[in-house]
Amino acid sequence: MAANETAVVTPGYKADSIQVLKGLEAVRRRPGMYIGSTGENGLHHLVYEVVDNSIDEALAGFADHITITIHPDNSVTVTDNGRGIPVDVHPTEKIPGVELALTVLHAGGKFDKSSYKVSGGLHGVGVSVVNALSERLEVLVDRDGQRHHMQFVRGHTTKKLTVLGKTKSTGTTVRFKPDPEIFQVLEFNYTTLADRLRQLAFLNKGVTIVLKDERADPPKEDTFFAKGGLVQFVEWLNRNKKALHPKPITFLVTKDDVEVDIALQFEDGYNENTFTFVNNINTHEGGTHLTGFKAALTRTINDVAKRRDFLKKEGFTLSGEDIREGLTCVLHVKVREPQFEGQTKTKLGNSEVEGIVKTVVNEHLGNYLEEHPPVARAIIEKAVSAARAREAARKARDLVRKKSGLENMVLPGKLADCSIDDPAHSEIYLVEGDSAGGSAKQGRDRSFQAILPLRGKILNVERARIDKILSNEEIRAIITAIGTGVREDFTLADARYHKIIIMTDADVDGAHIRTLLLTFFFRQMQELIEAGYIYIAQPPLYRVARGKEEVYCYAEPERDEAVKRMSGDGKTNVSIQRYKGLGEMNPGQLWKTTMDPDTRTILRVTMEDAVEASKLFDELMGDEVEPRRLFIERNAKYVTNLDV
């Protein structure tokens, strides 16, 4: 079977049961296998695939300018000034190289080590997948003094390669329109694209990336360019924080054919923000490069502390967690043949990279700290302070370990647990307020639904150290009920529920409590988000009733439609009730609208980009007021329900 064919086997499993999907038909039949989903994430993935090809040209040293344009019809054009996709006829396939790249899976220059030293793509299926999932796609190639053009519809060539004329430029332009037969969402989000492109500019210093939006009036445009690369990335991440040393520590070293690029800076906060990349791929699951970095950082800081007698009075060595408190770091390695593993194939598995990163960090960070004693002292004093707090936190943490916590804490009256023991089928509602908690306890299905009422607003963990966090009664109750522990004590397998559902009022206070809880989970139990265990309940905003008929509505258009339908004859009054709090619903209503698995809507919390998530939590929940003011100014126009 050819590389671009997929066999579909039916239950009979005889020769005539095997259906061969030729060319790109397999992509159209199973798009999720190639781009993850047919929703908003998959839609934006199309742009990333095309841009990654342009970035590969930049990595190879042949491009330094990329422009992405969103057109009014939600088609997208990506243009670069690279070499241009080859247009000569392939010796064995007998079609032009550009047609091969756009119509055959696993065909591309990134498999040829002489064409690309490193490549950002994972599977080499990028542009051909975009072609397969596009209603139409056309490509312009400026190469060898001529401008070439091809056109496709749903992956099929509709206009063969033709020469339009002469040109002195080089590069590739791809314009595509996502296929409405494939995608549930067709409108590109400017902010989503801008966040990813900004990140690519930081990771590829010297490359100018321009994003244009012709849908806006007037048209919108942003240019991303980072001459300093990762240094500017770290400065941007820390722009609202108080740094312990004025400039990020940075070094770029190539060892054994692996390029290690690092920038790091410590600030006076309590959270660690370490982001890792391999060939521009965000390895949010970590891997060998992250393991090597952490080990080397711990060893190097301790070695410097001992040589300078910074720990003489303390009588202990610093743990990795102590040292990484307040650290912001971006680590980018470039590897010829990366091996990825993990659930989402974003965990680096190359064993040799761990030793290379260790050696580079030990040598270059060690030298830097020896040459800059004030920086070394500031970092070590911060870590010593963290170690002291860690000891205080250890005593508090002992109270919230699963076994002893449930025995020692007064939870039975607060936690209404479920009766089954299987976490995979159990869920817990974190409910705002005792009133709503009472309704939820009465309305729930006791067999698999647990209720934990929360009193008031929990501590903002963005501004607190672990010892203070664990001294907060509501947070201790949450940790104990869930059973996993936090930070280095966290064990996902100990989770007592695989659905942790945040249920708050549909008002400003409810939104604030929800944000506080999400901040806590993101900073202290991020693995729960990555595992897909965190959800947000969607209680209705309105109850529309006429006589015995009632409808629950979750948005104004839905409400208006229900009112219009019910008042059709104009003889009977329609009553509209606006729910501001969960406590306004009786147990039966709460079950029917928000807790019954057969009728409810719950939103799973996912984390597509840890960099952007960290930035947002820092803006909303950090010490600096100005970023929050700017966020409110930018987003005030989107507010539809404001309680006054």
Side-chain angles (χ1 to χ4, degrees), residues 546 563-574:
R546 174 187 170 182
V563 171
K564 182 179 178 181
R565 180 177 58 79
M566 287 187 183
S567 59
D569 57 15
K571 295 179 180 178
T572 308
N573 289 333
V574 176

Side-chain angles (χ1 to χ4, degrees), residues 312-385:
K312 196 171 184 180
K313 296 179 181 178
E314 304 299 336
F316 56 71
T317 52
L318 299 166
S319 73
E321 187 180 15
D322 298 332
I323 291 168
R324 295 194 303 275
E325 182 181 279
L327 169 68
T328 298
C329 175
V330 180
L331 166 62
H332 187 194
V333 298
K334 293 177 182 176
V335 186
R336 275 186 180 269
E337 295 185 13
Q339 299 164 11
F340 293 99
E341 54 189 50
Q343 186 177 357
T344 56
K345 303 299 181 187
T346 52
K347 182 178 182 180
L348 184 66
N350 299 62
S351 58
E352 73 279 6
V353 175
E354 180 176 345
I356 292 170
V357 173
K358 272 185 186 177
T359 302
V360 169
V361 174
N362 281 332
E363 179 182 348
H364 292 271
L365 180 60
N367 290 342
Y368 180 92
L369 295 177
E370 288 292 345
E371 294 167 5
H372 299 80
V375 175
R377 178 176 290 277
I379 293 171
I380 292 165
E381 286 178 350
K382 177 77 160 60
V384 168
S385 176

Side-chain angles (χ1 to χ4, degrees), residues 442-615:
Q442 294 178 55
R444 67 179 173 137
D445 185 326
R446 295 169 181 266
S447 64
F448 68 94
Q449 290 179 322
I451 307 296
L452 181 65
L454 300 175
R455 186 176 301 146
K457 296 178 180 179
I458 70 165
L459 178 73
N460 178 7
V461 302
E462 191 74 12
R463 306 181 197 177
R465 198 169 242 157
I466 186 65
D467 54 329
K468 186 176 179 182
I469 291 170
L470 293 180
S471 66
N472 181 271
E473 182 180 343
E474 299 301 301
I475 288 179
R476 289 209 312 269
I478 293 170
I479 298 171
T480 306
I482 293 172
T484 57
V486 292
R487 290 204 174 181
E488 75 266 25
D489 288 337
F490 185 93
T491 304
L492 184 64
D494 288 341
R496 301 179 66 243
Y497 316 93
H498 285 191
K499 279 192 176 72
I500 300 161
I501 305 168
I502 300 170
M503 186 161 69
T504 61
D505 292 345
D507 60 10
V508 173
D509 279 340
H512 188 202
I513 292 169
R514 186 165 61 246
T515 304
L516 287 166
L517 287 167
L518 288 173
T519 305
F520 167 69
F521 286 125
F522 178 73
R523 292 301 188 193
Q524 302 297 326
M525 306 169 86
Q526 193 175 114
E527 296 90 340
L528 290 175
I529 299 176
E530 293 170 349
Y533 289 2
I534 306 295
Y535 294 81
I536 297 174
Q538 298 293 289
L541 287 174
Y542 302 97
R543 176 181 176 269
V544 180
R546 174 187 170 182
K548 293 184 178 180
E549 183 184 3
E550 65 178 8
V551 174
Y552 295 94
C553 305
Y554 296 83
E556 283 77 4
E558 192 180 350
R559 175 203 62 191
D560 296 342
E561 180 62 32
V563 171
K564 182 179 178 181
R565 180 177 58 79
M566 287 187 183
S567 59
D569 57 15
K571 295 179 180 178
T572 308
N573 289 333
V574 176
S575 67
I576 303 173
Q577 182 180 3
R578 164 72 159 94
Y579 292 117
K580 286 192 175 182
L582 298 167
E584 295 181 17
M585 286 187 243
N586 63 44
Q589 290 174 326
L590 195 57
W591 164 258
K592 180 179 179 181
T593 63
T594 316
M595 300 179 71
D596 183 354
D598 293 332
T599 57
R600 73 186 178 189
T601 298
I602 57 175
L603 304 179
R604 174 179 276 169
V605 178
T606 61
M607 189 172 61
E608 292 301 317
D609 190 339
V611 176
E612 289 305 316
S614 180
K615 178 177 75 73

